[in-house]
Amino acid sequence: MTDFPKADYEHVSKKILIIAGTRPEVIKLAPVYLAMKKAPFWEPLFVSTGQHRQMLDQACAVFGIKPEIDLNLMQPGQTLPELTSRVLLSVTRVLEETKPDAILVQGDTTTVLGSAIAAFYQKISVGHVEAGLRTYNYQAPWPEEMNRRLTDPISRWCFAPTEASRQNLLAERIPAESVFVTGNTVIDALLYVRDKTRAEKSRAELVAECGIDTAFAAQFIPGNLDAAGRPVGKQRLVLVTGHRRESFGSGFESICQSIRQLVDRYPEVGVVYPVHLNPNVQEPVNRLLGNHPRIQLIKPQSYEPFVWLMGQAYFILSDSGGVQEEAPSLGKPVLVMRETTERPEGVDAGTCRLVGTDPERILREAALLLEDENAYSQRSQLKNPYGDGQASERILQVLAESLNH
Ligand code: UD1
Ligand code: UDP
């Protein structure tokens, strides 16, 4: 990561719209917004598009964020064209009314692309947090690969989390002076929330907050971890999340089949699965996994209990982008239920392994972690390929430096 010169904040007084629509965008932009709020030289306005309603509100609450502007755009079962046009039109109105010096967006969602285009049409500078991640496969992640790819050339500042993402941008002829390697702000959020939760909440409070059955928790989340953060005893908690569009339909049926086979084959395994609110996820997961004594289907979790659950897990089964980034910092192996990833650093670190959605492959990889102590040890080392917790500070320095001139 580059150390940027300290900016002279004294001459800066800039209005920055921080626009977020979904849970991960809030988690990853919260550290930037909160850092700006602390410095009187910035005038940050948090704009929620409300692409996610409940999950966005839940994430905002953890950081004490009350969006200054809330567009409330979510509709149940929304389609991409409908949501994209609502974001473009509504964000355009906000930009006309607020006239910011710049906007910040994060990641690869519909909110990101719609907001970036709205700003581009009004010639307002865009900062893209988490720029440059690529699979170079437009079908996976879909539509996110294209959303992210289209947002980068629009952006005046591309905040690349790693050197590899910087190289992707340079290969696409994004000017080098627009690209800044900052680390990923998710690590800022993760470290802050992990420490705060440890200091403020007991195991019993967290179990209750998660909505996990107490008998299940007594068996699979006893809370006593060894010095390396591994559970003492034979029981193994497996944490699951999943929501990718490219897995809707047969992919999700296969994922659920794998989870059932896993618990049936290993009596020492208990699964906790916070189920994403997308109806394409809710339906198959509740139908196929809803009645097993060692599978706890729970609501999407607030970030505090979720970070705690990651810490308690033996390994994680997930298709989430954010989880792939967080797991190396927690030393938790992740079986990534995708065929390709725009986050190769976690795979290179050994923490993450791509396993697709085929039950046979998932079971084989899960068996390795459950049965081979050496394999598990190697893949549960603490590593920080995505950052050191200072990414938002670096982003502020870059913005202050260039908006000051
Ligand atoms: C979106 C993003 C995806 C991101 C994910 C994070 C796009 C195209 N997809 O996917 O990149 O990884 O968020 O979780 O931008 N719903 C609720 N309440 C909520 C959230 C969702 O009811 O709080 C339901 C609604 O029926 C909504 C549907 O889920 O219409 C889909 O939401 P949407 O944001 O379009 O897609 P996600 O699958 O959540
Ligand atoms: N997360 C959370 N509660 C949950 C599941 C996930 O707070 O029940 C967090 C997770 O730690 C990560 C982010 O949400 O920071 C990832 O969101 P998601 O998987 O929905 O989106 P993606 O990262 O794949 O875009």
Side-chain angles (χ1 to χ4, degrees):
M1 256 147 292
T2 325
D3 271 322
F4 303 107
K6 286 258 180 243
D8 175 6
Y9 286 112
E10 256 146 85
H11 304 291
V12 183
S13 171
K14 300 290 176 188
K15 186 190 282 183
I16 311 291
L17 258 52
I18 297 184
I19 307 180
T22 69
R23 168 172 69 192
E25 293 162 75
V26 173
I27 292 170
K28 291 171 171 181
L29 285 171
V32 180
Y33 173 72
L34 296 177
M36 278 187 177
K37 285 285 259 192
K38 275 196 235 150
F41 321 103
W42 297 105
E43 191 190 342
L45 296 180
F46 200 94
V47 180
S48 153
T49 63
Q51 174 177 340
H52 280 178
R53 187 63 283 164
Q54 298 88 340
M55 287 159 64
L56 177 136
D57 294 345
Q58 190 181 44
C60 281
V62 173
F63 298 94
I65 295 176
K66 296 192 178 77
E68 278 84 8
I69 298 170
D70 192 334
L71 301 172
N72 201 21
L73 297 181
M74 193 192 89
Q75 288 183 4
Q78 59 206 1
T79 66
L80 294 173
E82 285 165 359
L83 179 64
T84 306
S85 39
R86 287 200 300 275
V87 170
L88 178 54
L89 291 174
S90 308
V91 171
T92 296
R93 253 198 338 270
V94 172
L95 296 176
E96 281 165 358
E97 280 164 24
T98 55
K99 301 196 181 350
D101 294 290
I103 71 160
L104 285 183
V105 291
Q106 194 287 333
D108 56 10
T109 66
T110 302
T111 287
V112 173
L113 181 60
S115 304
I117 294 174
F120 175 68
Y121 287 158
Q122 298 202 36
K123 304 200 166 146
I124 293 172
S125 297
V126 177
H128 187 197
V129 178
E130 203 185 74
L133 281 64
R134 298 286 186 269
T135 61
Y136 291 106
N137 176 348
Y138 293 131
Q139 305 310 318
W142 180 87
E144 290 84 357
E145 174 74 6
M146 187 58 91
N147 288 346
R148 201 189 293 270
R149 177 103 194 238
L150 294 174
T151 302
D152 286 328
I154 290 177
S155 302
R156 173 170 169 195
W157 306 279
C158 288
F159 297 113
T162 65
E163 180 55 29
S165 37
R166 186 177 87 97
Q167 289 302 331
N168 291 338
L169 292 163
L170 298 182
E172 291 164 25
R173 303 184 66 174
I174 303 285
E177 56 274 21
S178 300
V179 183
F180 306 88
V181 180
T182 59
N184 197 310
T185 54
V186 78
I187 306 300
D188 307 20
L190 174 74
L191 300 181
Y192 164 76
V193 165
R194 183 197 61 186
D195 295 346
K196 182 166 172 280
T197 309
R198 271 186 193 156
E200 292 175 5
K201 291 194 176 170
S202 68
R203 174 190 164 279
E205 281 171 315
L206 287 158
V207 168
E209 195 174 335
C210 289
I212 294 175
D213 176 71
T214 47
F216 177 99
Q219 202 182 351
F220 293 104
I221 324 178
N224 45 342
L225 304 178
D226 68 15
R230 297 203 205 145
V232 179
K234 288 206 165 54
Q235 310 302 342
R236 302 290 184 235
L237 178 72
V238 176
L239 178 64
V240 179
T241 79
H243 67 84
R244 299 245 73 90
R245 271 164 204 262
E246 54 277 19
S247 301
F248 288 172
S250 63
F252 262 93
E253 305 262 335
S254 293
I255 289 170
C256 294
Q257 219 180 319
S258 321
I259 295 168
R260 251 202 128 86
Q261 288 176 15
L262 179 70
V263 286
D264 287 342
R265 188 174 301 176
Y266 294 97
E268 70 271 33
V269 166
V271 166
V272 169
Y273 184 168
V275 188
H276 196 283
L277 293 180
N278 193 314
N280 295 297
V281 179
Q282 286 278 329
E283 192 283 318
V285 171
N286 285 306
R287 172 167 48 84
L288 296 167
L289 298 177
N291 59 351
H292 195 291
R294 277 184 288 115
I295 301 176
Q296 291 277 301
L297 299 183
I298 56 175
K299 293 190 178 133
Q301 293 298 302
S302 178
Y303 195 44
E304 290 180 349
F306 188 77
V307 169
W308 174 74
L309 278 173
M310 285 195 285
Q312 300 297 314
Y314 196 64
F315 69 85
I316 302 171
L317 195 54
S318 177
D319 61 17
S320 161
V323 170
Q324 289 176 64
E325 291 154 349
E326 293 159 338
S329 289
L330 300 171
K332 298 294 173 179
V334 185
L335 300 182
V336 181
M337 297 185 288
R338 296 174 50 176
E339 296 297 344
T340 175
T341 182
E342 63 281 50
R343 296 171 168 89
E345 298 86 354
V347 177
D348 295 343
T351 314
C352 300
R353 184 168 286 185
L354 297 176
V355 300
T357 56
D358 170 45
E360 220 173 277
R361 193 157 144 214
I362 294 177
L363 263 281
R364 202 171 52 238
E365 291 293 341
L368 254 180
L369 290 172
L370 289 166
E371 294 176 21
D372 184 336
E373 268 284 326
N374 284 338
Y376 185 84
S377 284
Q378 279 166 17
R379 288 164 59 188
S380 56
Q381 309 289 322
L382 284 179
K383 304 244 171 91
N384 293 311
Y386 295 107
D388 57 2
Q390 302 298 317
S392 20
E393 202 44 55
R394 291 189 188 96
I395 289 169
L396 258 61
Q397 285 170 16
V398 170
L399 289 176
E401 180 75 2
S402 56
L403 288 172
N404 226 1
H405 291 117

